[in-house]
Amino acid sequence: MADGETGRTFRLAYVPGVTPAKWVNVWTERMPDVPITLVAVPAAEVVGLLRNGGADAGFVRLPIDRDGLSVIPLYVETTVAVVPKDHVVAAADEVSVADLADDEVFHPLDDTVEWTVRPGLPAFTRPATTADAVEMVAAGTGILLVPLSLARLHHRRDLTYRPVSDAPQSQVALSWPADATTDLVEDFIGVVRGRTANSSRGRTPATPAEKPVQRRAGKPTQSGSGRRAVPADRRKKGRRAR
């Protein structure tokens, strides 16, 4: 641990649907002297929080405005359609965007899927949050397309979800202020990337280069027996027949 880190707390923001537990557990084992504080934040507010110094790093959903931020993409999530259990979509293993052409699809203000063209028909309103949209789906007034983790987060007994095979996917990334890449941030990057505790600051140490074998020009190499190799033109020739 670098000087001045003792007594500090590492503040980690995360957006809905992201479960940081596995990384937090590794951090707690590896950095017992630096407590980690989790900051739950809406997806639309996480960038502002990072820029204002409200967290040292955060899990975000791409795309975001990357100005002043460093970003490491981590994984991609399948987009699913959330529907009532008696909806026709529930009878399929997966659907396509074209299958939803006649459905009213909610587009919440905190939507994290980047659409070129919105699927289905516009719903009668734009809910403020994904949670509000799920309530409206349960009321039978439309359907909702979200990343898989959000469908699981807002799961209800009267709803189900199915993968949408050709829908854009949501990517989760680790981000932090580029001008505040502290030693603690480097440590957390190492945790997220799965590096071992022996790696310096989460960075993989360089492997020392092997020294090349140097040979002196003009001198023959030695054989395994220790004798000098004799050039072919100097080997003894057999006796000439008289």
Side-chain angles (χ1 to χ4, degrees), residues 67 93 157:
D67 185 31
D93 292 331
R157 292 183 179 180

Side-chain angles (χ1 to χ4, degrees), residues 85 155-160:
K85 283 191 172 181
H155 178 67
R156 292 171 50 118
R157 292 183 179 180
D158 52 350
L159 300 179
T160 189

Side-chain angles (χ1 to χ4, degrees), residues 15-19 61 75 77-78 80 146-155 161 170 172:
V15 297
V18 175
T19 305
R61 288 190 183 275
Y75 60 89
E77 285 192 75
T78 299
V80 300
V146 293
L148 176 58
S149 65
L150 288 180
R152 289 172 173 169
L153 177 66
H154 298 291
H155 178 67
Y161 51 84
S170 174
V172 174

Side-chain angles (χ1 to χ4, degrees), residues 115-190:
W115 297 96
T116 302
V117 178
R118 294 290 308 171
L121 304 173
F124 68 94
T125 185
R126 287 197 67 184
T129 66
T130 297
D132 292 338
V134 169
E135 293 292 331
M136 293 178 181
V137 173
T141 55
I143 68 173
L144 174 67
L145 275 67
V146 293
L148 176 58
S149 65
L150 288 180
R152 289 172 173 169
L153 177 66
H154 298 291
H155 178 67
R156 292 171 50 118
R157 292 183 179 180
D158 52 350
L159 300 179
T160 189
Y161 51 84
R162 294 292 184 269
V164 183
S165 58
D166 54 350
Q169 296 178 315
S170 174
Q171 188 168 32
V172 174
L174 178 68
S175 182
W176 66 95
D179 59 356
T181 308
T182 64
D183 288 339
L184 290 182
V185 170
E186 290 282 9
D187 285 328
F188 192 74
I189 292 170

